[in-house]
């Protein structure tokens, strides 16, 4: 997708603080963090929302969740705890229509 901001990040056309990258996903610091650790994990494939996941993406979804757990370990969040969040659709507050998971940590959540 030409105009998608996260696709531009994947193509390295927009600079970001990269946290992790492999052939299927990348992770980078959120530009407007809501917690001491606020990382976005996204598939390299342009998928607008969770609603657009088909059966062929089930393995990718597992890989993303595994990646989130590994990043949480890298950031020493496994003991203190962390939160994973995805907004699906405008009504839920989704602003960027390229599937992404927020990894939030480094503070206590109520
Ligand atoms: P949403 O509300 O769609 O779930 O979250 C989009 C997130 O992307 C927001 O937390 C916002 O701060 C982040 N974001 C938007 N544009 C950029 C950008 O250009 N770079 C980075 N690193 N984060 C961005
Ligand atoms: Zn995209």
């Amino acid at each position: 997708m030409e105009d998608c901001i996260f696709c531009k990040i994947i193509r390295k056309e927009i600079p970001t603080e990269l946290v992790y990258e492999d052939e299927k996903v990348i992770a980078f610091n959120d530009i407007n963090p809501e917690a001491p650790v606020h990382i976005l994990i996204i598939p390299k494939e342009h998928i607008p929302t969770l609603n657009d996941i088909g059966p062929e993406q089930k393995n990718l979804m597992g890989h993303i969740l595994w990646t989130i757990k590994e990043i949480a370990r890298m950031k020493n969040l496994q003991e203190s705890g962390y939160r994973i969040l995805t907004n699906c659709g405008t009504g839920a507050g989704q602003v960027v229509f390229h599937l992404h998971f927020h990894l939030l940590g480094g503070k206590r959540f109520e």
Side-chain angles (χ1 to χ4, degrees):
M1 289 285 283
E2 287 296 302
D3 295 332
C4 170
I5 192 147
F6 286 177
C7 282
K8 287 181 181 170
I9 286 173
I10 292 163
R11 295 195 300 263
K12 310 272 170 35
E13 292 169 13
I14 296 175
T16 44
E17 295 172 31
L18 207 65
V19 173
Y20 174 88
E21 179 169 17
D22 65 27
E23 70 284 4
K24 295 192 190 95
V25 304
I26 67 164
F28 49 92
N29 286 331
D30 196 291
I31 205 167
N32 186 23
E34 291 177 14
V37 177
H38 187 168
I39 295 167
L40 300 175
I41 298 91
I42 73 173
K44 286 188 168 174
E45 182 182 349
H46 181 86
I47 302 166
T49 81
L50 204 59
N51 288 336
D52 302 300
I53 296 298
E56 68 279 10
Q57 275 121 2
K58 282 184 183 177
N59 283 345
L60 174 63
M61 292 302 104
H63 181 72
I64 288 174
L65 209 49
W66 181 86
T67 300
I68 289 170
K69 184 269 296 182
E70 281 298 303
I71 293 171
R73 188 180 58 77
M74 280 161 48
K75 296 289 178 183
N76 292 315
L77 294 176
Q78 286 192 323
E79 291 298 319
S80 56
Y82 55 95
R83 181 171 284 178
I84 305 160
L85 186 143
T86 189
N87 297 318
C88 185
T90 309
Q94 186 175 4
V95 175
V96 178
F97 281 79
H98 181 127
L99 179 64
H100 54 280
F101 294 84
H102 299 254
L103 169 60
L104 298 153
K107 71 169 192 178
R108 188 159 187 89
F109 297 96
E110 295 310 319

